[in-house]
């Protein structure tokens, strides 16, 4: 009886998670689709002048790119969770990868008025990984940190050996994550209300977790008095 009750609870939890995921996807698709439909209707009805048409086309291009990115992320997440992986694992100098990624994010950070810096040990920290996928994790975490850090704030990326692993931390001086959201922050489409106007489909952290776990590592939220600190470890 206890086993059956436990199985029923797991089934109910899975059904609830599935409904929430479908609702989240529907919400994130409805907004751009509604905007696209209204703009196309206005163009077809000849209600826009040439200047407005150029602005509409730019907006349509932005929405289409966002929708395409969401579909790509959903497809990648489904492959990761199904274990459908074709990766090439090598010894990767994770410290060099962090330094390269931080440099690539400088333009976006400067546009937001946020400083991004790397604090790295003098010797390279090596990990057995797919460099491209691991850089995707770094991009996701740093971009998320920049997005949720106000102007004049900072994002710091650290990497150091930790036993038979390499530990990476992305810390920001933003508003942090509410206690009631910490448990589900790595779930697909999990975003606080305050995050919605800032963009993103809420898949970055879910994809990051799937990539890290596929490498045999783990990712978590570390305690922080200021902002948010996301850490992950990858076996060497």
């Amino acid at each position: 009886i206890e086993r059956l009750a436990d199985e029923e609870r797991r089934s109910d939890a899975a059904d609830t998670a599935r409904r929430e995921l479908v609702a989240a996807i529907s919400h994130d698709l409805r907004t751009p689709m509604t905007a696209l439909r209204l703009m196309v209707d206005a163009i077809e009805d000849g209600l826009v002048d040439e200047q407005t048409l150029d602005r509409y086309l730019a907006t349509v291009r932005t929405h289409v790119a966002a929708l395409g990115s969401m579909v790509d992320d959903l497809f990648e997440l489904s492959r990761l969770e199904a274990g459908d992986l074709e990766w090439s694992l090598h010894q990767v100098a994770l410290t060099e990868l962090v330094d390269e990624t931080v440099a690539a994010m400088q333009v976006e950070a400067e546009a937001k008025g946020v400083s991004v810096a790397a604090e790295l040990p003098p010797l390279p920290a090596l990990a057995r990984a797919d460099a491209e996928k691991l850089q995707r994790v770094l991009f996701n975490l740093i971009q998320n940190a920049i997005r949720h850090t106000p102007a004049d704030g900072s994002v710091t990326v650290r990497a150091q050996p930790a036993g038979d692993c390499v530990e990476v931390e992305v810390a920001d001086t933003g508003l942090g994550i509410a206690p009631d959201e910490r448990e589900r922050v790595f779930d697909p489409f999990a975003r606080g209300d305050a995050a919605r106007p800032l963009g993103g489909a809420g898949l970055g952290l879910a994809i990051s977790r799937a990539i890290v776990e596929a490498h045999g590592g783990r990712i978590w939220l570390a305690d922080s008095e200021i902002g948010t600190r996301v850490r992950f470890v990858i076996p060497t």
Side-chain angles (χ1 to χ4, degrees):
I1 292 173
E2 290 177 355
R3 186 172 67 250
L4 289 173
D6 187 51
E7 290 176 357
E8 184 175 355
R9 282 193 294 270
R10 286 201 299 269
S11 177
D12 289 343
D15 287 341
T16 300
R18 191 178 301 110
R19 287 194 297 271
E20 289 178 350
L21 181 59
V22 170
I25 294 174
S26 300
H27 178 280
D28 279 48
L29 290 176
R30 184 182 297 115
T31 300
M33 292 299 292
T34 299
L36 288 170
R37 185 175 65 251
L38 291 174
M39 286 185 287
V40 169
D41 287 346
I43 293 171
E44 286 184 340
D45 293 341
L47 301 177
V48 295
D49 55 29
E50 187 173 345
Q51 184 177 1
T52 304
L53 177 61
D54 290 340
R55 180 166 56 84
Y56 275 16
L57 290 176
T59 305
V60 167
R61 189 178 298 109
T62 300
H63 282 310
V64 169
L67 290 170
S69 179
M70 185 191 303
V71 171
D72 290 342
D73 284 348
L74 284 168
F75 181 66
E76 181 173 4
L77 185 60
S78 67
R79 291 185 61 193
L80 286 166
E81 293 183 340
D84 183 15
L85 309 174
E86 295 180 0
W87 295 357
S88 178
L89 300 181
H90 302 282
Q91 286 296 105
V92 176
L94 196 50
T95 44
E96 294 181 9
L97 193 65
V98 167
D99 205 28
E100 174 187 318
T101 309
V102 167
M105 298 297 294
Q106 290 293 345
V107 173
E108 182 173 341
E110 290 172 1
K112 180 81 185 299
V114 175
S115 66
V116 178
E119 294 182 0
L120 305 173
L123 297 177
L126 302 176
R128 184 164 178 77
D130 182 298
E132 181 181 346
K133 295 298 182 183
L134 212 53
Q135 190 168 48
R136 173 72 184 277
V137 174
L138 292 169
F139 272 127
N140 285 346
L141 297 184
I142 297 171
Q143 186 176 57
N144 201 54
I146 293 172
R147 184 179 293 151
H148 293 87
T149 300
D152 297 328
S154 64
V155 176
T156 306
V157 188
R158 304 178 179 92
Q160 61 182 4
D164 59 351
C165 296
V166 179
E167 181 179 281
V168 178
E169 177 184 86
V170 178
D172 65 58
T173 59
L175 299 176
I177 298 173
D180 59 341
E181 295 174 5
R182 290 176 65 89
E183 292 296 324
R184 55 188 298 271
V185 70
F186 291 102
D187 293 343
F189 291 92
R191 294 174 299 177
D193 292 339
R196 288 192 178 275
L198 299 173
L203 291 171
L205 289 179
I207 290 174
S208 296
R209 179 179 63 179
I211 292 174
V212 169
E213 291 180 350
H215 279 84
R218 68 185 185 94
I219 186 169
W220 71 97
L221 287 181
D223 292 335
S224 178
E225 295 182 1
I226 300 175
T228 302
R229 300 163 78 97
V230 182
R231 291 179 181 167
F232 69 88
V233 291
I234 297 291
T236 56

